[in-house]
Amino acid sequence: SKNAGRNCFHVYSPELKAEADQRNILEIELREAIWREEIEVFYQPVVELGTGRTKSVEALARWRHCTRGLIPPAEFIPVAEECGLIVELGNLVLAKACRHAMMMPDDIKVAVNLSALQLASGNLVDSVMYALADSGLAETRLELEITESVFLADSQENLKTLERLRRLGVSIALDDFGVGYSSLSYLTAFPFNKVKIDKSFIDRIGRSETVAVLGSIVQLAKTLNLSIVAEGVETYEQVEKVRLLGIALGQGYFFSKPVPFGELLLQGLAESER
Ligand code: C2E
Ligand code: CA
Ligand code: CA
Ligand code: CA
């Protein structure tokens, strides 16, 4: 097996050699794609459940590959993180998202995902300031989504960086809440603006245990003055349950899949149509 090979004596098997070659090709192609700005940004609305209005859009990276078509982030973000391309890739997404946001109504925020490695890179604040200045986007229209992984390594430094970003006027959201090492204490570790409840909770929202856990998350979030988003909402039933729990915002296929910028405008986000 592959694992046995990694740990023992099959390291130079033709199969693993082929796998390593594939990986090297992917790295080279990814470097090239970032250079040519072939990483596209799709957008998915975050909707106010009470009114149906879009309050923000999340920027999600897609790689437009010349032969393989659209490659999802799960396939190239980990590669970018491993080969040190994530900072460049992240800056490209940030720059494109800020420029696109300038063409959206100004009551709509744009949320950009950050890798923990970008936060640890030491120049995230400069990159953010550059993207804002370059696009002309107001600081208050940018939201950055981080996961609790930033609390694992060098968390003091990371917290300082997040504080500097908040002082700029940028919002910070805690993403994928409820998975991994999740603990309610992360919510109090930093003055987040928003918490995004992971889809796995929404999938299990029919169970009373889930409703109980979500109830206490909602309570704490309200105490901390955080806005709450339910991620991965796919059905009307889920929307209703989420709403009953007091969660004001939802994001998911029920409202819209992530779409290219042009399509987002067609959905009625164009300034002229509001
Ligand atoms: P995420 O930040 O948790 O983003 C939400 C993911 O859930 C997106 O997958 C979105 O398409 C998907 N999703 C939204 N609503 C639904 C739904 O109702 N049902 C289902 N089944 N899925 C839904 P996507 O676009 O494939 O992105 C996957 C992950 O890749 C993201 O998870 C994020 O962690 C990462 N990612 C994407 N773009 C970037 C980026 O620019 N930088 C970094 N560092 N990570 C990124
Ligand atoms: Ca996210
Ligand atoms: Ca998420
Ligand atoms: Ca995720």
Side-chain angles (χ1 to χ4, degrees):
S1 81
K2 281 185 206 165
N3 283 340
R6 287 221 170 88
N7 298 331
C8 312
F9 46 82
H10 293 298
V11 180
Y12 298 110
S13 76
E15 189 189 277
L16 284 173
K17 170 82 164 60
E19 200 176 287
D21 286 349
Q22 278 295 312
R23 179 64 170 224
N24 288 337
I25 292 169
L26 200 64
E27 265 186 47
I28 292 165
E29 287 184 337
L30 183 58
R31 196 178 301 275
E32 187 81 11
I34 295 167
W35 167 248
R36 294 195 195 160
E37 304 199 352
E38 283 164 1
I39 305 298
E40 291 185 14
V41 185
F42 278 33
Y43 296 92
Q44 187 180 35
V46 173
V47 173
E48 189 170 53
L49 301 176
T51 61
R53 286 187 71 105
T54 296
K55 303 297 280 184
S56 60
V57 292
E58 177 174 3
L60 294 157
R62 301 285 184 267
W63 178 1
R64 179 81 62 189
H65 191 279
C66 52
T67 56
R68 293 171 56 202
L70 218 52
I71 304 180
E75 278 184 47
F76 64 87
I77 297 283
V79 177
E81 287 179 331
E82 278 170 40
C83 66
L85 286 171
I86 191 68
V87 171
E88 255 181 284
L89 179 112
N91 287 342
L92 178 58
V93 172
L94 189 62
K96 286 194 176 185
C98 288
R99 282 185 227 137
H100 280 153
M102 283 297 285
M103 293 179 265
M104 298 176 200
D106 59 17
D107 57 346
I108 295 208
K109 287 190 185 192
V110 68
V112 175
N113 290 286
L114 288 187
S115 158
L117 294 173
Q118 286 175 271
L119 206 61
S121 74
N123 39 33
L124 178 65
V125 177
D126 286 343
S127 298
V128 167
M129 285 178 22
Y130 181 81
L132 292 169
D134 173 67
S135 60
L137 189 72
E139 293 81 353
T140 51
R141 292 188 56 205
L142 179 63
E143 189 166 84
L144 299 172
E145 297 193 0
I146 59 161
T147 62
E148 60 203 17
S149 63
V150 306
F151 294 111
L152 300 180
D154 211 356
S155 80
Q156 278 319 102
E157 246 348 273
N158 285 343
L159 287 177
K160 271 189 214 155
T161 305
L162 291 175
E163 272 156 19
R164 285 183 63 200
L165 290 165
R166 278 229 36 185
R167 278 201 298 274
L168 280 181
V170 171
S171 301
I172 311 287
L174 183 58
D175 201 359
D176 298 351
F177 188 76
V179 297
Y181 297 88
S182 234
S183 105
L184 290 175
S185 70
Y186 286 133
L187 283 183
T188 59
F190 178 80
F192 289 102
N193 301 88
K194 181 183 270 182
V195 56
K196 301 187 78 174
I197 312 262
D198 193 72
K199 180 177 190 304
S200 54
F201 279 104
I202 310 310
D203 291 341
R204 290 181 274 120
I205 205 164
R207 299 193 205 166
S208 57
E209 311 91 85
T210 310
V211 171
V213 172
L214 285 180
S216 50
I217 295 173
V218 170
Q219 282 266 287
L220 179 59
K222 286 193 169 156
T223 307
L224 297 170
N225 213 5
L226 291 174
S227 59
I228 318 170
V229 183
E231 291 198 281
V233 179
E234 293 180 345
T235 66
Y236 179 73
E237 210 181 4
Q238 289 173 339
V239 173
E240 281 310 294
K241 294 211 162 103
V242 160
R243 236 154 69 91
L244 278 174
L245 274 162
I247 297 175
L249 301 164
Q251 176 181 3
Y253 295 174
F254 177 77
F255 299 106
S256 170
K257 289 194 169 186
V259 294
F261 178 64
E263 216 171 296
L264 186 74
L265 296 185
L266 291 176
Q267 284 184 1
L269 257 190
E271 199 130 30
S272 58
E273 299 186 19
R274 286 161 68 96

